[in-house]
Amino acid sequence: MKVDRSGEVGYTTIVYRDIRLSRTLGEPMQTVTIVGAGPAGLMLAHYLLARQQYRVEIYDRRPDPRQMEPSHRRTFPLSLQLRGIKAIQGVAGLERAIAAKGILAQGTLMHRKKGSPRQVQRRVPLLMIDRHQLILALLEQLLKRYSPEQVSVQFDRACTAVDLTGQTVTLQPQLGPASTIHFDRMVGADGARSQVRDALVDQAGLGCKQSYIPDVYKSVRIPRLNPAAAVELQEDRIHTWGLGTGRRLLMAPQPGDWLYGTLIFQPDRNPFETLPTAEAVLAFFQKNCPPLGQLMTLPAAESLRQGPISKILSVKCDRMHVGDRVLLIGDAAHAVSPSIGQGCNASLQDAAVFVACLEQFQDDWKQALPAFTAQRLPEAHALQALSDYSFPRSKRMMLEFVFWVTLGKKLGRWFPQVKSPMPLEMIMDGELPYSEVLKHCQGWVNRVKQSMQGAA
């Protein structure tokens, strides 16, 4: 998959190199304890081990994903764009292993009840991959490349306490006694509800604001094609439907002719409250999302009806490190709304940027940690604003949004002076820093924010 756009004028390219540094003879090997075996934690482990300066220990509260039953998997589609893909490319051979578990999406089809769908073509394809499959690829490659003396990964180990002064972490399995381990360096990559971050707030005065995103969501999984009805949806496109009053459905292609997605809605506008049976859910989709209704089965409709409603926690920190030993990355430091699909991309990029800081300061964490915060914190805050206010909710602004991302693209080529920059376009088609995207699109972001405040 060729996604390099480093020659494009107007974009700032960050180069992540796969550099292996040898330790000085006799220098002790440092151990880095990573709490959280999600995309951010596993990606950072790859980068650290490639430097041959560290031993890595990883602990995660969830069961081993290689042994997990499908019904217990934390599964939803991720769209890896240039930022995430460039971070993956920084580790030789990793991109191929991850791409084998995903699907390239060339653009988006915005479906309507009547008429042909509107098409948004991407200049750079997105790699659509299920979160569970991304973790499997990162984990399998990590254990394949490095020996148990270099890396250990333990699941079913929930972090329950952190002692910054004593440099210890307490880990609790589901069954059996807790254990306390010592750390040289520690990384909190344990997600939006990070126990490591909470300890930094309590013991080191880390500033952190947390709030729930106004929207909630349900996960959806249906076949991509129905041969009996001669119906199928394109396998190289993301598919979206607007369902009115702040409700929207996004479906992404996955290997095996499946579509995984999310139905997003406001808590007081749950479309299933008045749908008591699977047949009623199926009728709802046949009416509002043709031809999706012809692909959905009754078991899938019942699973969707009874499935849990998930809330999304937003996290905004005033630092991404404490002292010279503790780092926060990924959702632990900057969980955002998934509306523009950048949470995982930013998390993978965190790992690459931090190791670039280590390289710059010759693995002196005392200098690398504040340098990382200085570089990434403005990007994290800009990403939160873009995630919250890129996608409009009012009907009038939604019509304007659809115009600019479809017909407005052609108008912009003919009359560039009248083209308003859309955050989604600038984010998806390049790797311009989030802070620069926000600067270019501040007018649109302010209008969306005002329209949401007015509606509230």
Side-chain angles (χ1 to χ4, degrees):
M1 178 173 56
K2 190 174 180 60
V3 295
D4 182 22
R5 297 178 60 82
S6 58
E8 174 135 8
V9 176
Y11 287 96
T12 301
T13 301
I14 303 173
V15 179
Y16 310 126
R17 289 175 288 172
D18 180 22
I19 294 181
R20 299 175 180 267
L21 299 178
S22 299
R23 292 183 298 126
T24 303
L25 187 63
E27 181 182 338
M29 180 80 76
Q30 292 189 66
T31 298
V32 178
T33 301
I34 299 177
V35 180
L42 293 173
M43 187 77 252
L44 181 60
H46 275 280
Y47 270 105
L48 289 173
L49 289 165
R51 295 183 67 73
Q52 299 182 355
Q53 301 272 357
Y54 304 97
R55 182 181 183 276
V56 174
E57 297 176 348
I58 307 174
Y59 301 93
D60 194 275
R61 66 179 179 83
R62 295 177 64 82
D64 190 329
R66 296 165 296 180
Q67 303 169 7
M68 198 179 298
E69 293 294 329
S71 59
H72 295 148
R73 294 173 183 171
R74 188 184 176 197
T75 175
F76 51 83
L78 300 171
S79 59
L80 298 185
Q81 164 266 349
L82 271 175
R83 293 168 179 81
I85 291 173
K86 284 278 183 128
I88 290 167
Q89 289 175 336
V91 178
L94 192 56
E95 181 187 10
R96 181 184 297 274
I98 291 174
K101 294 180 181 290
I103 292 285
L104 284 181
Q106 305 292 337
T108 301
L109 289 178
M110 304 172 71
H111 294 268
R112 298 177 285 177
K113 284 186 180 181
K114 297 180 181 179
S116 301
R118 297 184 176 97
Q119 184 165 200
V120 180
Q121 190 74 17
R122 296 262 77 90
R123 288 188 292 173
V124 180
L126 304 176
L127 176 59
M128 306 304 303
I129 186 168
D130 180 76
R131 183 184 186 276
H132 181 78
Q133 295 299 321
L134 174 61
I135 288 174
L136 279 180
L138 289 168
L139 178 62
E140 290 166 354
Q141 288 295 307
L142 191 69
L143 298 179
K144 179 181 178 181
R145 293 167 183 233
Y146 299 101
S147 70
E149 289 73 29
Q150 294 170 296
V151 60
S152 69
V153 186
Q154 296 187 41
F155 296 95
D156 186 27
R157 294 292 185 274
C159 172
T160 57
V162 176
D163 180 352
L164 294 181
T165 303
Q167 293 178 218
T168 62
V169 179
T170 301
L171 303 164
Q172 177 67 61
Q174 189 171 3
L175 300 173
S179 60
T180 298
I181 64 168
H182 181 271
F183 66 84
D184 297 328
R185 313 284 184 184
M186 182 175 64
V187 179
D190 48 340
R193 293 169 176 81
S194 168
Q195 292 296 311
V196 175
R197 184 192 63 238
D198 289 348
L200 301 185
V201 171
D202 293 339
Q203 300 175 39
L206 179 81
C208 179
K209 294 175 61 176
Q210 302 179 52
S211 61
Y212 282 101
I213 302 296
D215 293 327
V216 295
Y217 71 93
K218 276 180 171 265
S219 296
V220 187
R221 182 176 184 266
I222 63 170
R224 187 183 62 80
L225 48 85
N226 181 350
V231 175
E232 69 174 281
L233 293 176
Q234 285 182 247
E235 65 177 345
D236 62 346
R237 294 290 186 276
I238 299 170
H239 301 271
T240 71
W241 287 263
L243 302 176
T245 58
R247 299 184 298 202
R248 59 191 186 276
L249 176 64
L250 296 89
M251 302 296 294
Q254 296 293 314
D257 289 327
W258 286 96
L259 292 169
Y260 289 7
T262 52
L263 178 62
I264 304 168
F265 52 92
Q266 297 169 24
D268 60 345
R269 298 185 183 275
N270 183 352
F272 302 108
E273 282 185 342
T274 58
L275 303 177
T277 65
E279 287 80 6
V281 172
L282 190 58
F284 171 86
F285 279 93
Q286 289 171 343
K287 176 183 177 181
N288 293 283
C289 306
L292 198 65
Q294 295 176 277
L295 297 172
M296 182 172 285
T297 62
L298 279 175
E302 181 63 12
S303 176
L304 177 59
R305 187 181 73 85
Q306 294 189 3
I309 295 175
S310 301
K311 295 181 179 180
I312 304 166
L313 185 64
S314 171
V315 173
K316 185 177 183 179
C317 296
D318 66 354
R319 286 174 284 162
M320 296 177 69
H321 78 286
V322 166
D324 62 354
R325 294 185 180 275
V326 184
L327 169 71
L328 288 178
I329 61 171
D331 284 354
H334 50 68
V336 297
S337 163
S339 61
I340 57 174
Q342 287 299 296
C344 186
N345 286 280
S347 297
L348 296 173
Q349 195 177 44
D350 280 350
V353 172
F354 176 64
V355 174
C357 291
L358 286 179
E359 181 184 338
Q360 179 183 355
F361 295 105
Q362 299 179 334
D363 292 276
D364 181 352
W365 285 56
K366 190 173 183 179
Q367 296 185 74
L369 286 170
F372 174 76
T373 285
Q375 183 172 346
R376 290 302 285 170
L377 195 64
E379 300 306 309
H381 291 176
L383 174 60
Q384 187 168 68
L386 292 166
S387 298
D388 288 346
Y389 305 119
S390 288
F391 207 96
R393 296 168 185 264
S394 70
K395 184 176 181 180
R396 181 182 63 81
M397 287 202 71
M398 177 55 73
L399 291 174
E400 183 180 348
F401 172 83
V402 171
F403 170 79
W404 284 118
V405 299
T406 54
L407 299 177
K409 280 193 169 184
K410 296 181 180 179
L411 182 64
R413 287 197 293 267
W414 298 330
F415 306 102
Q417 68 276 12
V418 302
K419 175 71 169 68
S420 298
M422 287 286 103
L424 205 58
E425 293 175 78
M426 299 189 73
I427 290 169
M428 291 298 184
D429 287 337
E431 51 184 322
L432 195 67
Y434 297 123
S435 56
E436 291 297 317
V437 174
L438 181 59
K439 187 184 301 182
H440 284 290
C441 303
Q442 191 69 64
W444 173 262
V445 167
N446 289 343
R447 289 180 57 207
V448 172
K449 185 176 183 179
Q450 290 168 4
S451 71
M452 291 172 63
Q453 292 171 341

